[in-house]
Amino acid sequence: MVNFRQISKLLFDKSKFDKTLGKNIPDLLRKRVSECPENVLQAVKNEVGKFDLYTYERVYRRALDLACQLKKLGIKKGDKVGLISDNRREWMITDYALLSLGAIDVPRGCDSMGTEIRFILEFTKCRFAFFENGRQLEKVLEKSEEVPSLKHAILFDSADSDLVTKAAACGITIHNYVNLEEIARRSTSAGDREEINAIIDTIEADDLATIIFTSGTTGVPKGVMLTHDNFMAQCEVVKSVLPDSKNGDLWLTVLPVWHVFERAFQYFLPVLKSGCIYSKPVASRILEDMNAMHPNWMCAVPRLWDAIAQRFFSEMRKKGGLHFAFFNVAISVGKTYWWAKDRVFGLICRYKKTIRIFDTMIAFVPYILMFIPNAICDFLLFRKIRGYLGGKFTAAISGGGSLQPETDAFYHAIGFKLLEGYGLTETAPVLSLRNSKKPRSGCVGEVMPCAEIKVVAEKDGKIAGTEPLPPGKRGLILARGRQVMKGYYLRPDLTEQVIDSDGWFNTGDLGMLTQDYEIKITGRAKDTIVLLGGENVEPQVIENAICGSPFIRTAVAIGQDQKYIAALIVPIEDAVIAYATENNVVYENYEALLHTNEIKNLIKSEIDSRVNAENGFRTCERVFNFVLLEKDFTVGVEINSKMEKMRHKIVKIYAKQIKKLYE
């Protein structure tokens, strides 16, 4: 079995593990400061729109000094400390300061509701909490009686006098982060720093680093307890799966750092002796910062990669005529070229034992024929697109959701290396990642050397056997290894439901392994739709296919306990309007346009051309009805911060539209 072959390989392939990094997260940074003190760790945009650079030595000194000041305030080893903020320079410094004290941070983003923040802070009994600004603290003060444990609030941005007074009335003292930094800078002695270094030496691998609460897509948030070793296990092997990374590389950071995906990669920075550039998850801002700082790497969710790709299509569509025609032809040429090249060089997923030479023979002639046309397209178009993306990318990473095949193919066509990864909060999070030297499309990459994966039989989303299935057989994905969480905070009952006595964690994801020990995700067990006829349908597969259309931005397949599958569709407004103009469709406004027969027929043909028998879909998986929505989904309403669809909320919000689909 592939699983046991890989386990054997892990036991003997010591070269993939770097055991010189230290035993905990602050120790890792401390060691790197001594090796590359002048490397850039943070690039932060200032008030005039220029980037200020912070070296390893400068960031570490600030974190150490802040730790000294927090120690004087009363934060000690084992304390839980709230960290309610989005990604910014102060977040990293605060995180390292808290971890250096042996404290456990409890993070959450600014898009969180007051009820969530209050629940999390009180459930973990936080006496101290950091807040990005006054608005985040206001969410607590709205019902401060629900958070009696909180006594100190530290604000990254200044608080006005009214807020200070209001907080004091609730028994909460407000501290200004900037003031704490300044006091720490002026008053911290060498002896104070030595005390913090001594504390770092006492932090064990199994000590908790953070408690990250799930986004609440499935009900009450669960606190995932992650240890220093959960992260260090991945740090030890990240260089082996990103062999193209170089000393001094810069990563563009746009994701919410309280999510474990972005956070883990921020811990990878010291391992790779790299730095990060702070940006925002908006396509226009990302492109602007790419051109200003020319990053080498970037992590983002599929929705952002799709938005950037659609921006290029939209710009070319506006130019129209020969420009748009050439753009489409060039992308087709690029797709064909890379399809052939991947087969010639063996970069395709194998689900059965095959002889690679046959793939090479089939693709060799197309590869040769498309070589020059692709080179011309690269010279005239692709390199310009890569230039808009900063021009110096080694590769970028997509995670936190399923990457649309069409989006993946677009970046592949233009010669932009986009690596898809896979993981969960409970696995801290990376379980697999496409190797930057030999990336294969169609999967979420090779299993990390620090992890064990097996696929087992399932029935109705539950484990139906413990024996690992062979490559190509679909089932439930189970994971085991040092990176698997310690458990759910104060919920041993929930922990027992997902981690068995042998340490196997049930990811809840459906998929299969390849012959090369890569993972392919096929769906989510808990998202499975069961139709009235008893057929099990994976909505993600249908949605991914539909979103391959150049006219469709978002799709949600529905049909639980119904006769057939239907869908909520969010069209791409620019593309639909352009189509209407080109085809002389008469309409008053965009809302009216979506109700015209021409647009309904367009979307129907787009769906039917992708979800059909020829593409491997069963009759029960066909979309028999749909409704077009004017506005895209919003973070905090229909999707969470990781850009995942909150299906239970979507069903409630669009209950009337869904009801009409089945009348």
Side-chain angles (χ1 to χ4, degrees):
M1 294 292 181
V2 172
N3 186 55
F4 298 117
R5 182 191 69 183
Q6 181 69 8
I7 292 173
S8 176
K9 181 180 178 182
L10 289 176
L11 293 174
F12 297 102
D13 191 0
K14 306 284 188 183
S15 64
K16 291 189 174 182
F17 292 80
D18 185 349
K19 293 293 185 179
T20 68
L21 301 178
K23 67 177 182 178
N24 58 55
I25 295 166
D27 188 27
L28 163 62
L29 180 61
R30 181 172 60 179
K31 288 179 181 294
R32 282 298 189 251
V33 169
S34 65
E35 296 170 10
C36 53
E38 296 306 312
N39 276 25
V40 173
L41 181 52
Q42 294 179 311
V44 185
K45 189 171 283 188
N46 58 30
E47 294 81 2
V48 297
K50 302 295 182 182
F51 280 92
D52 292 329
L53 306 181
Y54 295 76
T55 65
Y56 270 68
E57 185 173 40
R58 187 178 179 187
V59 172
Y60 181 63
R61 173 62 67 91
R62 290 200 174 194
L64 214 58
D65 289 354
L66 180 62
C68 294
Q69 195 61 30
L70 296 179
K71 181 173 179 288
K72 292 174 183 177
L73 283 179
I75 297 177
K76 60 185 184 301
K77 188 174 183 179
D79 281 353
K80 285 87 176 176
V81 180
L83 187 42
I84 316 301
S85 171
D86 290 333
N87 207 354
R88 55 189 289 165
R89 174 188 71 84
E90 295 86 352
W91 201 104
M92 179 186 289
I93 294 171
T94 301
D95 181 44
Y96 276 115
L98 291 172
L99 295 181
S100 296
L101 290 171
I104 303 155
D105 59 49
V106 184
R108 200 68 174 178
C110 290
D111 64 330
S112 300
M113 303 295 289
T115 52
E116 292 177 315
I117 294 174
R118 293 191 297 271
F119 168 80
I120 289 167
L121 294 180
E122 185 57 28
F123 191 66
T124 52
K125 303 299 179 186
C126 291
R127 293 186 302 117
F128 290 81
F130 287 78
F131 296 88
E132 176 156 339
N133 49 45
R135 175 67 195 114
Q136 306 315 313
L137 178 57
E138 285 277 10
K139 294 177 183 178
V140 172
L141 300 182
E142 287 169 0
K143 294 184 179 180
S144 60
E145 68 276 7
E146 294 181 4
V147 196
S149 299
L150 185 66
K151 300 301 178 184
H152 298 270
I154 303 168
L155 270 62
F156 290 147
D157 294 337
S158 300
D160 58 41
S161 57
D162 289 343
L163 185 64
V164 173
T165 303
K166 185 176 180 181
C170 298
I172 298 172
T173 302
I174 292 181
H175 307 269
N176 188 296
Y177 177 89
V178 174
N179 291 343
L180 288 180
E181 260 199 330
E182 180 60 23
I183 294 170
R185 186 185 66 80
R186 287 190 285 102
S187 64
T188 303
S189 66
D192 292 331
R193 297 188 186 101
E194 283 306 311
E195 286 185 17
I196 303 302
N197 277 309
I199 294 173
I200 292 174
D201 292 335
T202 69
I203 300 170
E204 299 299 329
D206 197 46
D207 286 345
L208 284 187
T210 187
I211 301 174
I212 301 178
F213 281 78
T214 57
S215 56
T217 56
T218 56
V220 178
K222 301 185 290 288
V224 178
M225 297 187 292
L226 298 176
T227 67
H228 285 259
D229 195 51
N230 288 152
F231 292 108
M232 292 300 295
Q234 297 161 91
C235 288
E236 290 176 6
V237 300
V238 68
K239 183 64 179 175
S240 70
V241 296
L242 295 176
D244 288 335
S245 64
K246 299 180 182 64
N247 186 346
D249 277 354
L250 291 176
W251 291 67
L252 192 71
T253 174
V254 300
L255 298 179
V257 69
W258 74 270
H259 283 304
V260 72
F261 176 42
E262 176 67 26
R263 183 160 181 183
F265 273 90
Q266 292 209 9
Y267 294 148
F268 295 164
L269 293 178
V271 179
L272 304 172
K273 299 180 180 178
S274 299
C276 66
I277 306 161
Y278 290 91
S279 186
K280 295 289 183 181
V282 179
S284 57
R285 171 69 182 273
I286 290 171
L287 293 172
E288 175 187 318
D289 292 341
M290 283 177 175
N291 280 286
M293 291 299 292
H294 309 290
N296 310 103
W297 299 82
M298 174 181 170
C299 290
V301 292
R303 194 177 183 86
L304 275 177
W305 293 116
D306 183 60
I308 293 172
Q310 290 298 336
R311 186 178 178 87
F312 286 119
F313 275 98
S314 179
E315 289 299 320
M316 296 307 298
R317 190 179 289 109
K318 288 178 183 177
K319 290 185 178 181
L322 291 176
H323 288 92
F324 190 42
F326 173 68
F327 179 80
N328 285 324
V329 170
I331 297 300
S332 296
V333 168
K335 288 179 180 179
T336 304
Y337 170 76
W338 284 101
W339 175 91
K341 184 176 182 179
D342 286 348
R343 280 153 181 76
V344 168
F345 292 96
L347 297 180
I348 59 172
C349 296
R350 299 183 306 146
Y351 300 103
K352 297 180 180 179
K353 289 184 178 180
T354 59
I355 301 175
R356 288 198 186 276
I357 190 64
F358 291 150
D359 291 321
T360 301
M361 291 171 61
I362 291 170
F364 186 74
V365 172
Y367 171 60
I368 296 299
L369 291 176
M370 298 306 295
F371 185 86
I372 292 178
N374 184 75
I376 294 172
C377 292
D378 190 83
F379 179 77
L380 296 176
L381 179 64
F382 299 158
R383 68 172 184 167
K384 293 181 181 178
I385 296 178
R386 295 196 299 271
Y388 287 126
L389 297 172
K392 291 188 178 180
F393 266 98
T394 300
I397 295 170
S398 178
S402 178
L403 184 65
Q404 304 294 344
E406 282 295 317
T407 302
D408 194 6
F410 167 78
Y411 288 102
H412 208 26
I414 65 172
F416 183 88
K417 193 178 290 184
L418 185 56
L419 312 174
E420 190 171 12
Y422 164 68
L424 302 93
T425 304
E426 289 87 345
T427 58
V430 189
L431 288 173
S432 67
L433 182 65
R434 293 183 193 171
N435 190 294
S436 61
K437 287 284 188 184
K438 49 179 182 179
R440 293 186 176 94
S441 297
C443 69
V444 291
E446 300 173 353
V447 175
M448 293 279 280
C450 56
E452 299 174 42
I453 294 291
K454 69 176 179 179
V455 177
V456 300
E458 62 88 22
K459 184 176 182 181
D460 298 328
K462 297 181 179 180
I463 296 174
T466 58
E467 288 300 311
L469 297 176
K473 294 294 184 180
R474 176 181 172 279
L476 266 173
I477 299 172
L478 306 185
R480 184 169 67 176
R482 285 167 53 198
Q483 68 196 84
V484 174
M485 68 171 180
K486 202 167 189 175
Y488 294 118
Y489 184 64
L490 298 182
R491 293 302 303 268
D493 56 324
L494 297 180
T495 304
E496 291 175 3
Q497 291 176 18
V498 295
I499 302 178
D500 67 19
S501 58
D502 293 322
W504 287 105
F505 169 70
N506 183 354
T507 68
D509 288 313
L510 301 172
M512 62 185 73
L513 291 173
T514 73
Q515 292 286 338
D516 298 293
Y517 204 50
E518 300 153 327
I519 303 174
K520 179 178 177 63
I521 304 296
T522 60
R524 185 80 179 138
K526 66 184 180 186
D527 287 339
T528 301
I529 295 171
V530 182
L531 296 175
L532 279 179
E535 304 95 337
N536 286 357
V537 176
E538 301 305 328
Q540 289 183 348
V541 180
I542 298 171
E543 292 161 3
N544 289 346
I546 293 173
C547 289
S549 165
F551 296 97
I552 298 174
R553 186 179 304 283
T554 307
V556 180
I558 53 178
Q560 182 65 36
D561 298 324
Q562 300 289 347
K563 293 181 180 179
Y564 55 80
I565 295 294
L568 304 175
I569 303 291
V570 179
I572 298 172
E573 185 173 345
D574 290 346
V576 170
I577 291 175
Y579 176 86
T581 302
E582 293 167 7
N583 291 274
N584 300 315
V585 180
V586 179
Y587 64 97
E588 293 181 2
N589 51 45
Y590 182 60
E591 180 182 2
L593 177 61
L594 295 184
H595 287 87
T596 62
N597 289 331
E598 290 88 346
I599 298 305
K600 289 181 179 179
N601 290 335
L602 167 67
I603 299 301
K604 185 177 188 307
S605 65
E606 290 292 311
I607 295 173
D608 292 345
S609 66
R610 287 165 172 77
V611 184
N612 53 43
E614 289 76 13
N615 290 330
F617 288 93
R618 299 172 293 165
T619 301
C620 65
E621 294 171 320
R622 297 281 303 276
V623 178
F624 283 86
N625 204 355
F626 63 89
V627 64
L628 301 180
L629 306 177
E630 290 178 60
K631 297 180 180 179
D632 199 1
F633 294 159
T634 304
V635 173
V637 182
E638 297 99 343
I639 55 177
N640 60 28
S641 298
K642 293 187 289 184
M643 301 299 178
E644 296 171 332
K645 299 164 188 167
M646 297 188 284
R647 295 181 185 274
H648 65 294
K649 287 191 176 182
I650 291 171
V651 170
K652 182 180 293 185
I653 293 169
Y654 298 99
K656 290 183 180 179
Q657 292 92 328
I658 292 172
K659 183 178 180 180
K660 289 181 179 179
L661 290 173
Y662 292 101
E663 289 179 347

